[in-house]
Amino acid sequence: MKYQSTRGEAPVLEFSDVLLAGLAVDGGLYVPVEFPTLASADLYSLAEMSYSEVATRVLEPFVSPSIEVDELGNMIEDSYSTFRHPDVVPVKQLPAEIGNDRYLAELYWGPTFSFKDVALQLLGRLFEYELARRDTGVTIVGATSGDTGSAAIEACKDRSGIELVMLHPRGRVSEVQRRQMTTVASPNIHNVAIDGTFDDCQDLVKAMFSDLQFRERHKLAAVNSINWARVAAQTVYYFTTATRIAGPNQPISFCVPTGNFGNILAGHIASRMGLPIKRLIIASNHNDILTRTHSSGVMQIRDVEPSTSPAMDIQVSSNFERLLFDLSDKDSVWLAAAMRDFRSSGSMTLGKSVAKRIRDLFDADRASEAEVEQEISSLYSTQEEFLDPHTAVGVHVIRGMKLLDSPAAVMATAHPAKFNSVVEAATGVAPPQPAEISGLMRQTERCVDLPNELSAVMEFVSAASTS
Ligand SMILES: *Cc1c(COP(=O)(O)O)cnc(C)c1O
């Protein structure tokens, strides 16, 4: 398997290089030159397999020839043994009042209770494996507004070859989210609270990556959602969910609470690999750039309004570029120019054929804050089940979709206890806290406060990278 950049001006690489590179040198994102396919007989055999067996079967062609299948299988087994449910991604039926044949695929049983764990648990192990093989090390630097930071820390803690520096905006992440990061005592984990906003944190990270000398000297690396290995790892639960609910030849739809477009893009890849998917439904909160793009064919930035589903508070969905590349028949010349324009003007016209192809494959809708609250309250009063606000966006959107009687699953992206104040405000009842979350309140925190100044942060990263 070879990988090419969406912007067409970067070298073609194999999996292990793409894993460590993150962004391509031309500013594009890496995608497979060709998608592997699974025949119908293969799909039947998946129905009999465990989650880890399916993952090994689905991911093998993506990592070949960089990684042997036995090594891959071991890393996968180890990654998903950290999950708190034997099915890894269990599936539950939703009440008929929401629709016939409607399901939740619970992606949140990993170490930090968000769907980010599914990909990052594997990514941490892939990094460690590849760094040992090359006898080198990296300094992973990231910025987080919540879920990514803790999932990356859990995935990388105590892994040899990795130092991880995670910036978060001081006082602007929830107490649970902060403690999930700062109570990890491993010596290779370095938490920094920046006196600023999430955008400030992200700008600091970007500035360090743009300083090529600094980047080289400290072997900076990233685990953000544009890393291809994360998208690949996320294709697996589309296969397991579809084969559990519908049987391999019955098309199923998926409704995905969407931010950076990484999760739903994985659904599109699964479909390109031969999984019979009927519709992919993009669910947004009131930051609805994707819903507007879907209906108008014009992608236009607006200011982000904070919501109760912060992981979906986005201006630009970076993985959307991979979809545009695929649906424009790999027109990297058009895409590179369009992305440059979009960066400078905040607006981009997709062109008739790409806009039509998106509508042929995807539906899109949004949920307001009131609709999210209503959805959480309604499921609690009929079923005594809790929904987190991100998943509630998805449930609201699926309720309004006309899919006739074909089966559909909503991707449940966070455990309700992670957003307990929103859930309690909607239902009047606090969702039960798993012991791992309530226990965080008694543990010691480790975190350094730094000003929003590049020199201070660079000095900190330098010291961390040699420790
Ligand atoms: C990251 C995240 C999302 C958005 O996923 P994308 O892959 O960025 O579209 C949705 N819900 C939760 C809880 C998340 O952590």
Side-chain angles (χ1 to χ4, degrees):
M1 167 91 51
K2 296 278 187 201
Y3 292 85
Q4 65 190 124
S5 164
T6 51
R7 308 239 177 133
E9 306 267 351
V12 168
L13 300 178
E14 65 177 59
F15 178 79
S16 58
D17 298 312
V18 167
L19 173 75
L20 298 182
L23 202 66
V25 289
D26 59 1
L29 309 185
Y30 274 106
V31 287
V33 169
E34 243 175 293
F35 293 113
T37 53
L38 281 112
S40 166
D42 294 323
L43 292 172
Y44 270 101
S45 67
L46 299 186
E48 309 298 317
M49 295 182 186
S50 71
Y51 188 91
S52 291
E53 287 166 343
V54 174
T56 308
R57 177 70 189 81
V58 168
L59 296 180
E60 179 190 355
F62 288 111
V63 305
S64 162
S66 296
I67 300 174
E68 298 283 327
V69 65
D70 291 354
E71 299 285 357
L72 174 70
N74 291 341
M75 286 187 264
I76 286 174
E77 276 289 341
D78 196 36
S79 299
Y80 299 114
S81 69
T82 65
F83 278 55
R84 300 180 177 90
H85 197 289
D87 294 345
V88 181
V89 176
V91 177
K92 257 193 204 154
Q93 189 153 14
L94 283 165
E97 168 259 321
I98 292 168
N100 283 330
D101 244 353
R102 298 290 175 263
Y103 301 84
L104 276 185
E106 294 178 346
L107 308 180
Y108 54 67
W109 291 106
T112 72
F113 297 98
S114 95
F115 101 97
K116 303 286 194 288
D117 291 322
V118 180
L120 282 166
Q121 280 296 310
L122 182 58
L123 199 73
R125 286 163 176 83
L126 288 167
F127 257 80
E128 183 177 50
Y129 172 84
E130 191 53 31
L131 292 171
R133 206 179 62 78
R134 297 182 186 205
D135 193 19
T136 183
V138 290
T139 309
I140 294 174
V141 181
T144 185
S145 57
D147 288 346
T148 305
S150 56
I153 287 170
E154 279 300 321
C156 295
K157 68 180 186 190
D158 300 323
R159 299 210 170 276
S160 46
I162 300 178
E163 296 293 329
L164 173 60
V165 179
M166 188 55 66
L167 313 186
H168 71 265
R170 178 142 54 102
R172 292 172 198 249
V173 299
S174 79
E175 182 170 18
V176 168
Q177 287 176 325
R178 187 190 74 237
R179 286 179 172 270
Q180 280 186 315
M181 296 191 279
T182 58
T183 58
V184 174
S186 310
N188 70 329
I189 301 300
H190 313 273
N191 279 289
V192 179
I194 295 290
D195 190 6
T197 64
F198 170 62
D199 286 336
D200 293 331
C201 296
Q202 224 168 9
D203 289 344
L204 289 165
V205 172
K206 276 190 199 147
M208 285 186 277
F209 274 89
S210 323
D211 182 334
L212 295 184
Q213 234 182 349
F214 186 79
R215 178 176 177 168
E216 193 55 33
R217 178 155 9 108
H218 299 296
K219 299 204 169 64
L220 297 193
V223 293
N224 49 17
S225 81
I226 54 116
N227 196 303
W228 172 260
R230 281 181 65 176
V231 177
Q234 289 167 185
T235 60
V236 174
Y237 47 72
Y238 287 88
F239 287 92
T240 59
T241 303
T243 48
R244 261 166 218 165
I245 291 175
N249 284 326
Q250 187 189 9
I252 167 173
S253 300
F254 290 96
C255 179
V256 188
T258 295
N260 246 329
F261 211 78
N263 194 352
I264 196 162
L265 179 80
H268 177 66
I269 306 300
S271 152
R272 300 283 268 126
M273 293 173 73
L275 185 70
I277 292 181
K278 186 177 159 96
R279 308 292 295 166
L280 286 166
I281 303 158
I282 306 164
S284 312
N285 65 25
H286 57 216
N287 296 300
D288 60 352
I289 181 167
L290 290 170
T291 312
R292 289 183 281 115
T293 306
H294 182 269
S295 63
S296 69
V298 179
M299 186 154 77
Q300 188 141 35
I301 291 187
R302 285 189 196 156
D303 285 343
V304 168
E305 301 280 342
S307 77
T308 51
S309 43
M312 298 159 69
D313 288 347
I314 46 104
Q315 249 188 332
V316 179
S317 298
S318 34
N319 273 296
F320 201 60
E321 179 166 342
R322 288 190 164 113
L323 181 71
L324 295 179
F325 183 70
D326 188 35
L327 299 186
S328 66
D329 296 321
K330 306 188 173 187
D331 188 347
S332 53
V333 176
W334 165 73
L335 188 59
M339 293 308 298
R340 263 197 309 276
D341 267 9
F342 181 61
R343 285 282 160 210
S344 57
S345 70
S347 173
M348 169 173 174
T349 303
L350 299 184
K352 277 210 182 75
S353 66
V354 173
K356 175 172 182 311
R357 280 179 152 184
I358 291 176
R359 281 196 291 269
D360 287 345
L361 298 168
F362 293 83
D363 290 296
D365 207 352
R366 69 197 288 278
S368 69
E369 291 291 274
E371 287 163 339
V372 167
E373 184 174 345
Q374 170 59 35
E375 211 55 74
I376 298 172
S377 142
S378 150
L379 195 70
Y380 183 72
S381 57
T382 58
Q383 305 281 306
E384 299 204 359
E385 293 263 4
F386 293 101
L387 287 176
D388 100 279
H390 303 77
T391 307
V393 170
V395 171
H396 179 76
V397 167
I398 200 88
R399 191 190 275 282
M401 284 287 151
K402 295 194 177 39
L403 299 162
L404 304 173
D405 274 342
S406 66
V410 176
M411 293 309 194
T413 52
H415 191 290
K418 259 197 119 158
F419 295 90
N420 57 349
S421 58
V422 181
V423 176
E424 185 171 355
T427 60
V429 183
Q433 290 284 314
E436 295 89 345
I437 290 185
S438 48
L440 290 171
M441 299 303 154
R442 294 185 297 274
Q443 294 169 28
T444 313
E445 295 190 70
R446 275 192 333 140
C447 184
V448 171
D449 287 336
L450 288 180
N452 178 20
E453 276 169 25
L454 185 58
S455 58
V457 178
M458 284 171 95
E459 203 173 303
F460 181 86
V461 171
S462 300
S465 75
T466 51
S467 64

